[in-house]
């Protein structure tokens, strides 16, 4: 399908608890699920899937102007296994988005899929994981936390397979990334040039995690860069575990 829209707005409430293991699928081109201006949407029954087979530019948009909005879902895969997607993603502004089954972003053969957590936006992963390009070739997929909060994460992996290259996380302008466990950048042989950038211009940003690995065996040119920010890490740090040209600066 092309240019289809589901919108919950102006204080409306949408509740569905019986959609089984997968609550919904956005496929095709320029299709949107939007919850804004105080709208509330509850997918209690399961997860949500972006795209199969060359889908692109689909979006979940939570919040914006008006009253704070709310969306709750199970796990999200972008795209579904064996998919392929370009430029689809999630934007959260002035809203709370709860995800209860983890976020898998930029899976096999996916380029430029994204999560944006912007001003007054909160994404709560409810003690589940964030994985970016974890399964096959994924290029240029990214998470941006700009004046928002991504919280209750248990493990973050960026670049988890061969060919998972140039994927990134940006935490800027007072953004917060609160991770209860490990952070791994480049987690497989052939996963290269993946990065976490913390801080820069604007308000000081914060990232927390336990253990840190930058460059697992065979994974090169991965990096973490910290500027005008606080990075709280409470476990062991490994830079280049059987790999080369990985950096923390």
């Amino acid at each position: 399908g092309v240019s289809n829209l589901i919108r919950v707005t102006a204080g409306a409430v949408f509740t569905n608890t019986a959609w089984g293991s997968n609550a919904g699928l956005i496929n095709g081109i320029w299709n949107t699920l939007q919850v804004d201006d105080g709208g509330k949407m509850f997918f209690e029954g399961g997860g949500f899937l972006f795209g199969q087979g060359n889908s692109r530019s689909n979006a979940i948009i939570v919040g914006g102007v008006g009253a704070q909005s709310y969306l709750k879902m199970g796990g999200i895969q972008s795209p579904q296994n064996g998919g392929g997607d370009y430029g689809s993603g999630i934007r959260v502004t002035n809203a709370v988005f709860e995800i209860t089954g983890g976020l898998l972003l930029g899976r096999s053969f996916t380029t430029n899929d994204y999560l944006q957590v912007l001003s007054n936006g909160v994404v709560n992963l409810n003690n589940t994981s964030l994985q970016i390009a974890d399964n096959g070739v994924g290029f240029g997929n990214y998470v941006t936390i700009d004046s928002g909060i991504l919280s209750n994460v248990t493990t973050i992996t960026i670049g988890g397979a061969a060919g998972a290259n140039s994927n990134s996380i940006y935490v800027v302008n007072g953004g917060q990334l609160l991770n209860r466990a490990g952070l791994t950048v480049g987690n497989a042989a052939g996963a290269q040039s993946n990065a976490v950038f913390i801080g820069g211009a604007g308000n000081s940003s914060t990232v927390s995690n336990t253990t840190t690995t930058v460059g697992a065996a065979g994974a090169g040119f991965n990096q973490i860069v910290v500027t005008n920010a606080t990075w709280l890490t409470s476990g062991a740090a490994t830079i280049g575990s059987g790999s080369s040209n990985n950096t923390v600066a």
Side-chain angles (χ1 to χ4, degrees):
V2 179
S3 297
N4 300 292
L5 171 66
I6 297 173
R7 187 179 186 189
V8 181
T9 189
V13 178
F14 181 101
T15 302
N16 193 308
T17 59
W19 285 13
S21 61
N22 292 318
L25 168 65
I26 295 181
N27 204 8
I29 304 171
W30 300 319
N31 299 296
T32 304
L33 169 64
Q34 184 169 347
V35 183
D36 65 345
D37 195 15
K40 294 180 172 63
M41 197 170 198
F42 300 85
F43 281 135
E44 302 284 3
F48 206 91
L49 308 175
F50 268 126
Q52 303 178 78
N54 300 315
S55 65
R56 65 181 185 271
S57 301
N58 301 295
I60 297 174
I61 299 172
V62 192
V65 298
Q68 187 181 65
S69 302
Y70 178 86
L71 175 61
K72 184 176 182 179
M73 286 184 174
I76 296 178
Q77 297 184 36
S78 173
Q80 191 178 19
N81 286 334
D85 190 78
Y86 178 85
S88 295
I90 303 163
R91 186 175 75 236
V92 182
T93 309
N94 187 33
V96 175
F97 186 10
E98 290 199 63
I99 301 170
T100 59
L103 174 58
L104 310 179
L105 182 70
R107 308 202 81 193
S108 55
F109 301 102
T110 297
T111 304
N112 293 338
D113 278 13
Y114 62 87
L115 167 66
Q116 299 173 338
V117 190
L118 307 178
S119 180
N120 295 317
V122 177
V123 176
N124 181 355
L125 283 187
N126 285 283
N127 297 319
T128 61
S129 64
L130 169 62
Q131 300 177 55
I132 305 173
D134 75 309
N135 179 14
V137 176
F139 181 85
N141 304 287
Y142 65 94
V143 171
T144 297
I145 307 167
D146 183 348
S147 307
I149 300 172
L150 176 55
S151 67
N152 290 318
V153 189
T154 53
T155 70
I156 298 171
T157 303
I158 310 166
N165 300 332
S166 300
N167 304 283
S168 54
I169 294 178
Y170 301 88
V171 187
V172 299
N173 198 26
Q176 298 180 54
L177 173 56
L178 308 178
N179 178 21
R180 296 173 177 265
L183 168 63
T184 302
V185 185
N187 196 39
Q192 298 187 8
S193 302
N194 301 287
V196 178
F197 299 99
I198 310 170
N203 297 323
S204 179
S205 301
T206 302
V207 171
S208 63
N209 60 275
T210 57
T211 59
T212 303
T213 301
V214 183
F221 299 97
N222 301 284
Q223 62 178 322
I224 297 176
V225 178
V226 184
T227 308
N228 184 33
T230 300
W231 178 23
L232 303 171
T233 178
S234 59
T238 303
I239 315 300
S241 176
S243 58
S244 58
N245 298 304
N246 300 285
T247 60
V248 173

